[in-house]
Amino acid sequence: AAGVIQSPRHLIKEKRETATLKCYPIPRHDTVYWYQQGPGQDPQFLISFYEKMQSDKGSIPDRFSAQQFSDYHSELNMSSLELGDSALYFCASSLVPRGRSDYGYTFGSGTRLTVV
Amino acid sequence: AQKITQTQPGMFVQEKEAVTLDCTYDTSDQSYGLFWYKQPSSGEMIFLIYQGSYDEQNATEGRYSLNFQKARKSANLVISASQLGDSAMYFCAMREGTGRRALTFGSGTRLQVQP
């Protein structure tokens, strides 16, 4: 079965550079979520999209932006990178059944960003 | 206040024994979902088990079971017959309310299975 695909798997950037992370959700999944997991930390929700519109917003820095495209893939754009942005970035997708709340999430393998 | 609390930063268990990982949660929503994920050292987030707030029976998935005590707001993960491959970080997470909600994670418990 197709899973959530994230690219690249690893990324090394210098301070003040920009980075773009990509996420390809499971086909027919209608919602995409982005999470940031710092070293030794739990994942923190950044932002989510439903049908290409922003659905919810978490602790996403102003330097970051994201969007979902017509083919449902999503990109997380990070500018003016700081050392503290070094983290594992997860994308997850879900299909929310109408009128039901017992849906799950499928996570991608993550992109490990290192800022030097 | 913490939404999800995992009070055990690290746990050790002997191979073939059972282990319980604790999780308490805080929400005022009547509808919510509780999840457990396993994160091995490779980093991927692996779904283990789910319990809905309206589910009357405890969820089970193979060697994993969830001890759901709604009045105490606890959702402990029980792993039976531990295997060396169970050594990983385990996260408890919650989705509050209905609709397209993101998960809130606890701080995790690192489980080490000893031979």
Side-chain angles (χ1 to χ4, degrees):
Chain A
V4 176
I5 307 296
Q6 289 189 248
S7 67
R9 291 295 304 274
H10 302 274
L11 190 59
I12 300 175
K13 290 285 185 179
E14 295 189 354
K15 282 192 304 185
R16 294 179 288 278
E17 285 193 320
T18 61
T20 297
L21 311 184
K22 296 186 178 183
C23 168
Y24 296 84
I26 290 177
R28 296 193 312 280
H29 276 198
D30 57 13
T31 308
V32 169
Y33 312 80
W34 285 97
Y35 292 85
Q36 176 192 57
Q37 185 180 22
Q41 304 292 316
D42 55 287
Q44 296 289 319
F45 169 63
L46 294 178
I47 195 166
S48 62
F49 291 88
Y50 166 65
E51 291 290 342
K52 295 158 278 187
M53 299 288 288
Q54 182 180 306
S55 175
D56 199 2
K57 199 171 183 179
S59 51
I60 185 168
D62 292 340
R63 298 178 290 108
F64 294 6
S65 64
Q67 57 182 327
Q68 188 176 29
F69 294 85
S70 58
D71 64 352
Y72 290 90
H73 94 272
S74 178
E75 294 184 3
L76 178 66
N77 298 292
M78 310 157 73
S79 63
S80 303
L81 287 169
E82 302 172 356
L83 296 178
D85 296 329
S86 294
L88 187 57
Y89 290 83
F90 285 107
C91 170
S93 72
S94 65
L95 173 64
V96 182
R98 188 183 297 278
R100 289 175 58 183
S101 59
D102 58 341
Y103 59 93
Y105 308 81
T106 303
F107 281 78
S109 298
T111 294
R112 191 170 296 279
L113 172 68
T114 303
V115 181
V116 297
Chain B
Q2 290 285 346
K3 293 278 187 179
I4 296 285
T5 302
Q6 295 180 254
T7 58
Q8 306 153 314
M11 290 277 286
F12 289 91
V13 65
Q14 291 293 122
E15 200 177 3
K16 298 188 180 70
E17 291 187 349
V19 62
T20 298
L21 306 185
D22 294 341
C23 172
T24 58
Y25 60 92
D26 181 28
T27 181
S28 56
D29 282 309
Q30 296 300 309
S31 177
Y32 52 90
L34 298 158
F35 298 76
W36 277 92
Y37 287 87
K38 172 184 178 181
Q39 187 176 42
S41 56
S42 53
E44 69 264 37
M45 199 67 76
I46 302 168
F47 167 74
L48 296 178
I49 198 166
Y50 165 81
Q51 180 86 39
S53 58
Y54 295 117
D55 295 340
E56 295 185 350
Q57 293 199 331
N58 287 343
T60 60
E61 291 283 352
R63 292 187 300 113
Y64 304 108
S65 60
L66 199 152
N67 184 1
F68 181 45
Q69 297 186 45
K70 197 169 181 176
R72 298 179 62 181
K73 293 191 174 179
S74 74
N76 298 339
L77 176 70
V78 180
I79 305 174
S80 63
S82 297
Q83 302 172 356
L84 294 178
D86 294 335
S87 295
M89 195 74 167
Y90 288 80
F91 288 100
C92 180
M94 177 172 64
R95 176 186 59 235
E96 293 180 88
T98 57
R100 291 164 185 77
R101 305 290 187 92
L103 290 171
T104 300
F105 287 84
S107 54
T109 295
R110 183 166 298 283
L111 177 66
Q112 294 190 53
V113 181
Q114 298 176 316

